[in-house]
Amino acid sequence: MRGSDRDAFSKRHPLVNFVFFIGAIGCAAVIQHPVYLLAGAIGAGSYHLLLNGRKGWRMILGMIPMFLFLTAVNPLFNIYGATVLFHVFGRPYTMEALMYGAAIAAVFMVMLLWFGCYNVVLTSDKFTSLFGDLIPALSLLLVMVLRMIPNFLRKAKQLMGARRSIGKGAGEESTTKEKLSDGMTVLSALTDWALEGSVITGDSMRARGYGVAKRTSFQIYRMTCMDWTLLALISLLLAVVIGFAAGGSTAASFTPDLFFAPIAGWDALGLIAYCLFLLIPTALHVKEAIQWHISRSKI
Amino acid sequence: MKKSKIATLIVLFGLIPGTLYLGTRLSGRSYYLVGTLMVIELLIPFFLAFEGRRPQARELVTIAVLCAIAVAGRAAIPIPNFKAIFAIIMISGIAFGPESGFLVGAVSALASNFFYGQGPYTPWQMLGYGVAGLLAGFVFSKNWIARKPLPMAVFGAVCVVLVVGPILDLSDIFLKLTQIDLAAVVVVFAAGLPVNVSQAVCTFLTLLLIGKPLLEKLDRLKEKYGMMEAGGDGI
């Protein structure tokens, strides 16, 4: 998680992060107006690059073939469209359907980019601390599972090593059948060990008073003044975007004829609000970087 | 009436029709948003039932162990892309009943995505994996199918190809298609078939080879410590 250590938006309260991503991903999933899509791609792409650096470029470049594929394939399924380019298997391949495919592919890519950012910013500890009060038993369950997985992975390796050292395990040259039966033995042994431990853990939890009273949860994150301001800003901008979208200023239809709601006059406000909303994490990051630069040059 | 029952009714007769109505009102392509919202709403009653039951420590830890084994199981088997996750979810459902089976499935999907990355498919995976545990728990608690290796394995494979795989493919339909008609849906399901079949084979082999011993271990745990029994205090 190298990106999240230095990123200003990641340091904000998990609630701020969560609301932002719900809004950004939700808008990306629904709005398919090309201008909004472009805004979404720029917002998601820039933040993705800030978080992931060189790795981010690789992911974005890797998306291009998928984008082209989804675009090109769509007219094969969607034959509605006024401008026929050519015929495939006797079905018309239309320009409008091709554009529609590009829009849907862009929607998909922008969502993937936002999820890429989400995975870096909203780590599992933030997720569970966010839902700890709302769904206490499930959050505790999730915390336990997340802790056990690396533990079990390690134990599985130990079991395999132990079996190999007595000449029983499967190596590189074993047949698939041998590997399979060996794997099943390890899995079975792992389950045995883990279940035995679970009873002990459960008893220990009970002995220390689990379930006696309502659990309180330790909160490492506190909503600061800055967090409330950001949350208010995010909610306000989202409300504006949703309002304009409900009013039809993000409307776009592709088949049979292309139609995009014109962005002029008041409708431009919706787009401006959307851009401002999407640029919040990037702007925070840049602001922090500039401050750091200034305070360093003062020394 | 119990709180969780009331919540279930609210979800089924209030939230889901409401979401569908919203979908018809939204301009643009809202299949994905509406579909995903409905999936999340379907998950809510199960989670609330678990919260409302105030699970005891031993039950909580046992379910956590099963989830973690389902996710970590792949490290134990030295064959690339061999996934035992569905088999373990189903065994959990068979041993501890449909509700626990659903929970093990949904939580393992969420937890494994913390390691492999959350995506637009996360809620669909939670539902699909959960349904695998739910169905297994339901079918075997009614004794419709014998708890023997071969019948369990066949059930598992059929369940993956016919139910779980299609639920996961549904998210693809909502995400990637512009025109949803029969031909397009058939193509998406057909494209997903090879993956689903390979997972079905893994599930079949796992259930056939260690389904019975694993089930015996869980049954023994129940018997030895009196866990997860209806009416029991399950300490």
Side-chain angles (χ1 to χ4, degrees):
Chain A
M1 300 290 158
R2 74 171 248 289
S4 63
D5 297 338
R6 296 178 304 158
D7 174 53
F9 186 64
S10 306
K11 288 195 200 113
R12 304 265 52 99
H13 193 275
L15 184 64
V16 178
N17 299 339
F18 193 70
V19 172
F20 174 81
F21 281 115
I22 292 284
I25 293 169
C27 287
V30 176
I31 302 176
Q32 40 186 338
H33 193 292
V35 181
Y36 280 79
L37 274 177
L38 188 67
I42 292 171
S46 58
Y47 190 45
H48 191 82
L49 287 177
L50 283 179
L51 285 176
N52 296 314
R54 193 167 296 183
K55 226 176 73 201
W57 274 117
R58 222 176 299 151
M59 181 168 165
I60 291 176
L61 289 178
M63 280 180 173
I64 292 174
M66 200 153 126
F67 175 80
L68 294 176
F69 175 76
L70 283 177
T71 308
V73 156
N74 183 58
L76 299 178
F77 297 112
N78 190 333
I79 50 171
Y80 305 98
T83 323
V84 178
L85 295 175
F86 48 85
H87 283 80
V88 183
F89 308 124
R91 282 158 69 99
Y93 192 97
T94 67
M95 202 260 290
E96 284 81 4
L98 194 66
M99 305 272 280
Y100 201 176
I104 291 308
V107 164
F108 186 52
M109 301 296 132
V110 171
M111 283 174 73
L112 284 187
L113 282 175
W114 279 130
F115 268 109
C117 302
Y118 173 99
N119 284 325
V120 177
V121 172
L122 227 83
T123 45
S124 56
D125 58 320
K126 286 187 181 173
F127 184 86
T128 46
S129 91
L130 199 55
F131 289 102
D133 284 334
L134 198 63
I135 39 171
L138 276 168
S139 295
L140 180 62
L141 182 64
L142 191 62
V143 171
M144 285 199 279
V145 175
L146 291 173
R147 185 202 78 109
M148 282 171 184
I149 290 169
N151 203 1
F152 289 4
L153 290 176
R154 218 164 26 241
K155 189 70 184 179
K157 276 209 193 89
Q158 285 173 0
L159 287 168
M160 288 158 103
R163 279 175 62 76
R164 209 169 298 132
S165 67
I166 54 167
K168 277 201 150 172
E172 291 294 316
E173 67 289 340
S174 313
T175 61
T176 309
K177 198 182 161 209
E178 282 168 356
K179 280 183 184 169
L180 187 66
S181 70
D182 181 58
M184 291 300 158
T185 313
V186 174
L187 190 60
S188 182
L190 181 68
T191 314
D192 245 352
W193 170 80
L195 284 174
E196 222 162 275
S198 83
V199 173
I200 295 170
T201 312
D203 285 351
S204 166
M205 278 169 69
R206 204 174 96 83
R208 284 173 294 161
Y210 175 80
V212 170
K214 195 180 179 313
R215 281 178 67 233
T216 54
S217 49
F218 169 66
Q219 280 293 354
I220 200 164
Y221 304 101
R222 297 234 171 266
M223 288 290 281
T224 60
C225 194
M226 171 84 166
D227 291 321
W228 286 115
T229 318
L230 267 179
L231 192 62
L233 184 68
I234 287 173
S235 318
L236 179 76
L237 289 174
L238 257 183
V240 173
V241 174
I242 293 171
F244 274 97
S249 74
T250 61
S253 62
F254 293 85
T255 53
D257 289 302
L258 291 178
F259 164 78
F260 306 131
I263 294 178
W266 280 106
D267 286 334
L269 263 182
L271 181 66
I272 293 170
Y274 191 54
C275 292
L276 287 178
F277 167 70
L278 294 179
L279 287 175
I280 286 174
T282 312
L284 276 180
H285 189 105
V286 170
K287 182 186 144 249
E288 197 99 319
I290 291 173
Q291 269 176 347
W292 172 241
H293 190 76
I294 291 172
S295 54
R296 227 172 40 159
S297 59
K298 273 185 192 154
I299 301 173
Chain B
M1 207 157 38
K2 268 172 43 182
K3 255 193 206 162
S4 58
K5 286 243 171 79
I6 299 172
T8 310
L9 289 178
I10 292 176
V11 166
L12 284 183
F13 297 104
L15 274 178
I16 289 181
T19 312
L20 276 175
Y21 176 72
L22 178 83
T24 60
R25 299 276 305 170
L26 273 176
S27 63
R29 201 174 129 282
S30 50
Y31 315 126
Y32 174 74
L33 190 74
V34 171
T36 304
L37 278 178
M38 281 173 56
V39 166
I40 294 173
E41 285 158 9
L42 279 175
L43 294 170
I44 292 174
F46 288 99
F47 289 163
L48 283 182
F50 182 68
E51 289 290 343
R53 207 166 67 215
R54 297 188 164 257
Q56 293 299 318
R58 267 186 188 165
E59 179 186 354
L60 202 65
V61 185
T62 307
I63 289 183
V65 162
L66 290 170
C67 295
I69 296 234
V71 178
R74 72 165 74 185
I77 301 159
I79 304 170
N81 294 324
F82 190 97
K83 281 191 187 166
I85 186 163
F86 293 121
I88 293 170
I89 291 168
M90 285 173 186
I91 289 170
S92 314
I94 296 170
F96 294 132
E99 244 177 78
S100 302
F102 186 90
L103 197 66
V104 170
V107 173
S108 358
L110 182 64
S112 89
N113 283 346
F114 274 112
F115 290 88
Y116 302 104
Q118 310 283 356
Y121 42 74
T122 300
W124 299 83
Q125 276 184 347
M126 289 174 72
L127 182 73
Y129 288 31
V131 165
L134 181 82
L135 268 184
F138 188 70
V139 166
F140 285 90
S141 71
K142 298 274 182 208
N143 282 326
W144 288 344
I145 303 178
R147 285 178 164 210
K148 286 180 180 154
L150 192 63
M152 283 200 296
V154 171
F155 166 83
V158 170
C159 185
V160 168
V161 172
L162 292 187
V163 184
V164 182
I167 290 180
L168 300 181
D169 292 337
L170 261 184
S171 74
D172 259 4
I173 289 180
F174 289 143
L175 268 174
K176 294 178 189 162
L177 289 184
T178 55
Q179 190 68 44
I180 297 190
D181 54 21
L182 194 64
V185 171
V186 167
V187 169
V188 172
F189 279 137
L193 203 60
V195 177
N196 293 339
V197 167
S198 87
Q199 301 215 338
V201 171
C202 298
T203 310
F204 180 86
L205 287 173
T206 313
L207 283 172
L208 188 69
L209 292 173
I210 57 165
K212 193 144 190 279
L214 277 189
L215 203 56
E216 277 168 0
K217 278 170 197 170
L218 291 176
D219 281 341
R220 175 160 169 69
L221 201 71
K222 271 198 302 194
E223 199 174 301
K224 194 171 170 188
Y225 299 104
M227 260 195 280
M228 307 216 183
E229 281 170 344
D233 57 358
I235 37 170

